[in-house]
């Protein structure tokens, strides 16, 4: 693995820790920072680094393997795979994304984050996704 | 309560159900669809409607009460409160929002949602937050 893997675990979050780990790694896979053939840190090493049980890290890797990102064959550790095809999109994917996006924005507004600051971060992602 | 409360529970989601409920209600509070003085459905009624345990709905209401949105005094049900002041923003709020936003976008891309579709939804929120 070339990129430094920075994962923040939030003990107060209602999101399970294994999921926090897979959520943190997935953007690196989507963006191609982690490429096919790259290796992720061994489960036990990452578990020590994050101070979590190794089953938690194993669960995160398994989640990503089920999504087609990782090859977890024995003796090789977790290796990034060539993801064969983009999966067929579930019909409610856009709806769900919209809902979760509105929930995230509302939670951040409720926490006092100024709308301009939220809008700035959204614009940055839009520019990366769909530059016009 | 004036607005119809539409809440989708996703049994496959790793997000606890009580949290799915509070996450779904919060945008209505932030947007002012639910206003001070409005009443939310009684815990037991919403629990029946959503086919969840009433403690789950009570947990969702408690979460929103702790955030200053709801008054849960006995005999009055859950009533929307005038939220006195915007809370002081935690210094890492913007950082956390950015991280969760990137994770959400990556998960949706990984699920095959086209970047243009993601960007369209982001733009819609930007326009509502910070019209220029």
């Amino acid at each position: 693995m070339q990129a430094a893997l920075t994962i923040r675990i939030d003990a107060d979050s209602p999101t399970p820790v294994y999921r926090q780990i897979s959520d943190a790694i997935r953007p690196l896979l989507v963006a191609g920072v982690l490429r096919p053939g790259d290796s992720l840190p061994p489960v036990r090493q990452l578990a020590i680094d994050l101070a979590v049980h190794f089953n938690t890290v194993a669960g995160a890797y398994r989640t990503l393997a089920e999504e087609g990102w990782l090859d977890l064959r024995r003796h090789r550790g977790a290796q990034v795979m060539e993801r064969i095809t983009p999966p067929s999109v579930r019909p409610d994917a856009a709806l769900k994304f919209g809902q979760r996006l509105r929930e995230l924005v509302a939670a951040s507004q409720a926490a006092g984050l100024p709308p301009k600051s939220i809008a700035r971060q959204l614009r940055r992602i839009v520019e990366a996704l769909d530059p016009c």
Side-chain angles (χ1 to χ4, degrees), chain A:
Chain A
M1 192 187 51
Q2 279 73 45
L5 200 56
T6 54
I7 297 177
R8 248 187 306 273
I9 302 296
D10 180 356
D12 297 331
S13 167
T15 305
V17 172
Y18 85 92
R19 189 73 179 212
Q20 291 188 43
I21 297 171
S22 59
D23 283 352
I25 296 173
R26 194 180 297 99
L28 304 175
L29 294 160
V30 171
V33 176
L34 291 170
R35 293 170 178 282
D38 286 350
S39 291
L40 260 61
V43 167
R44 279 157 204 275
Q45 183 198 313
L46 188 55
I48 291 169
D49 291 349
L50 297 175
V52 299
H53 196 277
F54 73 87
N55 274 341
T56 305
V57 175
Y61 282 10
R62 212 154 43 230
T63 298
L64 294 169
E66 282 162 10
E67 293 175 13
W69 292 111
L70 295 185
D71 180 0
L72 297 180
R73 269 175 292 180
R74 272 166 205 286
H75 306 308
R76 300 182 51 192
Q79 202 163 43
V80 179
M81 282 171 73
E82 188 77 60
R83 230 178 156 213
I84 309 303
T85 47
S88 62
V89 187
R90 286 175 50 176
D92 62 347
L95 202 71
K96 269 201 177 171
F97 170 70
Q99 184 192 343
R100 291 180 61 195
L101 178 62
R102 281 189 299 276
E103 290 174 358
L104 173 59
V105 168
S108 303
Q109 282 189 277
L113 203 61
K116 274 189 187 299
S117 159
I118 295 173
R120 196 181 315 125
Q121 300 214 44
L122 293 171
R123 278 206 194 87
R124 211 172 294 153
I125 305 238
V126 168
E127 279 157 25
L129 282 175
D130 184 28
C132 26

